[in-house]
Amino acid sequence: AQCAIIHEKNINENIIFDLEKVEENLSEYDSDVKEHYLTLLMQYYFQNNKIEQLKELLLQGFKFDMRFIDVVEAFCHLKDDEENVIEFLEDNVVMLKDSVMEEDLKMMYDYYQNNLEYKNFIDEPLELIKRNRYVCVQAFKSKEEFAKLFLNEDLLKSLQRDMPFLLK
């Protein structure tokens, strides 16, 4: 609850993306609260594709447990051809073991289709996401047309050969 209050305050004061000011405000809190908040903030930076702030927290030794919804959020915040968090944490995205829901794929598909002006710099992160076996499995199992965007045929062949139990 304390972290939620801190987060709301940082948003309201419009300093949420100024890590130096955020850390300055945290100086009045116990170290465990500060540490917990900065871990949650790292996840927030990932979801909002704020790579510089994410890198700063990584350099300080912070980590967060990435979920697929974090990848979805980050994808839906791609708006320019600058370095992005999905490509920066490529291995984590590709190897992520998490449930992939059809609605997650739909959300990314809709973002992709509704932002074709971003297509040139969305395509590469999309290709990384398609290399995740659980994305491939969900796309294969889906009866929805939009899911075909996420189907990686080479990965599917590999899964059919080496891990057919995932496809059942």
Side-chain angles (χ1 to χ4, degrees):
Q2 204 168 16
C3 287
I5 293 168
I6 295 168
H7 193 66
E8 178 112 4
K9 179 181 173 194
N10 289 334
I11 289 173
N12 290 339
E13 291 179 3
N14 203 25
I15 64 165
I16 194 69
F17 298 120
D18 186 337
L19 191 52
E20 193 172 301
K21 287 183 180 175
V22 168
E23 288 179 319
E24 189 177 299
N25 284 350
L26 287 172
S27 64
E28 62 192 59
Y29 294 94
D30 292 339
S31 61
D32 60 330
V33 172
K34 178 182 174 182
E35 200 168 303
H36 184 65
Y37 179 70
L38 290 174
T39 300
L40 294 173
L41 188 60
M42 185 178 193
Q43 181 179 17
Y44 181 81
Y45 287 157
F46 180 88
Q47 291 175 348
N48 285 279
N49 197 36
K50 298 298 183 186
I51 193 159
E52 293 308 316
Q53 292 88 343
L54 179 81
K55 285 179 178 180
E56 284 183 50
L57 289 175
L58 279 170
L59 287 172
Q60 291 182 37
F62 289 96
K63 297 177 182 166
F64 75 100
D65 292 328
M66 187 185 300
R67 300 166 302 151
F68 190 69
I69 192 63
D70 298 324
V71 175
V72 172
E73 286 293 325
F75 183 82
C76 293
H77 282 95
L78 296 172
K79 293 184 179 3
D80 56 38
D81 61 351
E82 298 296 317
E83 184 179 21
N84 64 70
V85 296
I86 293 172
E87 291 175 280
F88 180 69
L89 293 177
E90 171 183 348
D91 291 340
N92 299 62
V93 172
V94 171
M95 300 307 293
L96 181 65
K97 287 179 81 172
D98 194 15
S99 298
V100 175
M101 308 303 287
E102 195 162 290
E103 51 268 16
D104 297 333
L105 298 183
K106 177 75 167 115
M107 183 186 263
M108 288 190 299
Y109 175 84
D110 288 345
Y111 184 78
Y112 185 83
Q113 293 301 318
N114 294 329
N115 294 284
L116 293 177
E117 69 272 20
Y118 301 153
K119 185 179 182 323
N120 290 341
F121 45 87
I122 291 179
D123 282 341
E124 196 168 327
L126 177 61
E127 289 304 313
L128 289 173
I129 292 168
K130 288 168 55 173
R131 288 178 30 209
N132 180 289
R133 72 181 88 158
Y134 300 99
V135 169
C136 185
V137 167
Q138 182 60 43
F140 172 76
K141 289 180 176 181
S142 178
K143 297 184 183 351
E144 298 293 334
E145 189 66 27
F146 70 82
K148 290 180 182 174
L149 177 67
F150 301 95
L151 194 59
N152 179 329
E153 293 293 341
D154 292 335
L155 180 56
L156 179 60
K157 288 176 189 171
S158 173
L159 291 172
Q160 287 171 327
R161 181 183 62 248
D162 301 332
M163 302 174 106
F165 56 90
L166 286 178
L167 301 169
K168 294 192 186 303

